Amino acid sequence: MKTLGQAVSPEEHTLESAIREAALFGGGAGAGYAPVSGGISNSNWRVQLASGRDYFVKLPGNGTEMFIDRKAALDASQKAAAAGLGPAVYDDLAHHGIEINDFIPDRRPSTHADFALRDLRMEAMAAYRRMHGLPALGLTKTVFDMIDEHEAQMRELGSPWPRDTDWIKLNDRMAREALSASGLDLVPSFNDPMPGNFMIGGDGSIMLIDYEYASMNDRCYDLGIWFGEMFFTEEQEAEMIEEYFGKVTPQLVARVTIHKALADVKWAWWSMVQLKVSRLDFDFHKYGMWKLMRFRSITGSPSWATHLRNA
């Protein structure tokens, strides 16, 4: 770990200023810090005080204010913490958009391999039920809103568009019409199921971290985006839909699948925005193209038309 005064990079200088300013850190005397790997939006750090207390500090990534509402993220983090679903969160530097949480060393971030285990999949579904049962969040932002927001940003930034954009937008429009016809089921939604955001305890329990994309959204979006992120089989997805809803119906399968496809468009367009604004060392173009490949595989399947009818 580095100590105050050893900063070299711009991010380290910003972090040191934050450590000195936060009342929680008492001026930062004797504090050490080190980067935390993972995440493709922000700069993440572990801060250890002379007392031995550990904290997680998130510095906003360049341009993230375009699609992250930090006040809404704090609201979601506080409600999740109050429910025991997320770690304690502190608002010392919220006016800077900087998030401070308790560091949770007794838990580890999940991997895709973890959710090959049925018990952990079911524990994650229980975490989603708790998330969806939180008090209403202050921000309503559906996947429709997310896609529209990123498309406007792409036009403004001059981001690259895939050659089959018209075909993607056609399927996007059909998906929206199908879902809207039966109405959206808005609940507090996590919206960001990167494996590292599921923190697993020694007892197999799961805590969720990173609520910066959380909003009121359709519950099937939350399930669909996670199912897609983990590459579950159709049989596994059906099992988890039954675990969550108590039944499996063609409509539930359809709504989860359609939301899975829309999630890939959202994150593909997000990647094209990040390509223009982010300073992180990450191949956003490759990430976005991979998302679109999966979108094409879902919408190009013979079952796509059936899902649209069943939604």
Side-chain angles (χ1 to χ4, degrees), residues 12-307:
E12 289 174 343
H13 282 290
T14 300
L15 178 66
E16 288 198 4
S17 295
I19 292 172
R20 292 188 178 97
E21 181 179 344
L24 181 67
F25 298 153
Y33 62 87
V36 176
S37 62
I40 52 177
S41 295
N42 310 286
S43 173
N44 301 319
W45 302 85
R46 179 178 185 175
V47 174
Q48 187 172 70
L49 303 185
S51 64
R53 286 291 303 275
D54 275 338
Y55 296 91
F56 176 86
V57 178
K58 180 190 297 179
L59 304 180
N62 186 62
T64 55
E65 70 281 355
M66 296 176 66
F67 43 79
I68 294 175
D69 183 328
R70 299 289 171 183
K71 290 183 179 179
L74 179 63
D75 171 52
S77 296
Q78 289 172 331
K79 287 172 178 171
L85 183 61
V89 59
Y90 305 92
D91 61 3
D92 290 48
L93 301 177
H95 57 291
H96 293 313
I98 297 174
E99 182 179 318
I100 305 174
N101 297 97
D102 279 344
F103 196 83
I104 42 178
D106 57 335
R107 291 178 177 271
R108 64 172 179 82
S110 75
T111 66
H112 287 82
D114 285 313
F115 294 113
L117 302 175
R118 184 184 183 281
D119 287 350
L120 282 177
R121 291 198 301 273
M122 296 304 130
E123 187 65 26
M125 295 307 290
Y128 271 116
R129 278 197 298 271
R130 293 173 66 191
M131 178 74 203
H132 297 163
L134 293 180
L137 304 181
L139 175 67
T140 297
K141 196 173 189 179
T142 69
V143 66
F144 306 160
D145 301 322
M146 299 174 197
I147 291 172
D148 291 344
E149 178 181 66
H150 291 323
E151 286 188 353
Q153 292 161 350
M154 289 171 67
R155 287 191 293 269
E156 179 182 348
L157 294 167
S159 299
W161 297 83
R163 286 179 292 180
D164 60 345
T165 294
D166 289 344
W167 186 85
I168 293 169
K169 289 187 175 183
L170 171 63
N171 282 278
D172 174 4
R173 178 176 57 80
M174 292 191 297
R176 296 184 192 214
E177 291 174 352
L179 293 171
S180 298
S182 54
L184 298 181
D185 180 14
L186 301 182
V187 296
S189 298
F190 192 42
N191 296 334
D192 188 18
M194 291 282 286
N197 290 340
F198 295 77
M199 301 296 290
I200 301 176
D203 59 355
S205 63
I206 289 177
M207 181 177 282
L208 301 181
I209 62 170
D210 195 354
Y211 292 86
E212 63 190 7
Y213 292 100
S215 68
M216 298 297 289
N217 194 5
D218 193 294
R219 72 177 76 233
C220 284
Y221 175 81
D222 236 5
L223 302 184
I225 187 177
W226 186 56
F227 289 2
E229 186 70 31
M230 296 300 156
F231 297 95
F232 293 132
T233 66
E234 291 183 3
E235 292 75 19
Q236 290 171 331
E237 290 184 7
E239 182 182 44
M240 288 183 289
I241 288 172
E242 183 174 20
E243 173 70 15
Y244 184 95
F245 292 101
K247 60 183 179 180
V248 181
T249 67
Q251 184 184 38
L252 288 172
V253 172
R255 293 183 70 84
V256 169
T257 302
I258 293 170
H259 273 108
K260 186 197 304 186
L262 290 176
D264 282 332
V265 177
K266 179 266 186 287
W267 287 102
W269 292 169
W270 173 91
S271 298
M272 296 304 102
V273 173
Q274 286 284 69
L275 185 66
K276 289 291 187 177
V277 301
S278 179
R279 295 171 184 159
L280 298 177
D281 183 16
F282 185 81
D283 192 340
F284 288 104
H285 189 271
K286 179 179 179 181
Y287 185 76
M289 292 303 101
W290 167 66
K291 292 291 186 181
L292 289 180
M293 287 176 63
R294 189 166 57 188
F295 171 81
R296 296 182 187 107
S297 73
I298 296 172
T299 55
S301 168
S303 63
W304 179 241
T306 301
H307 291 317

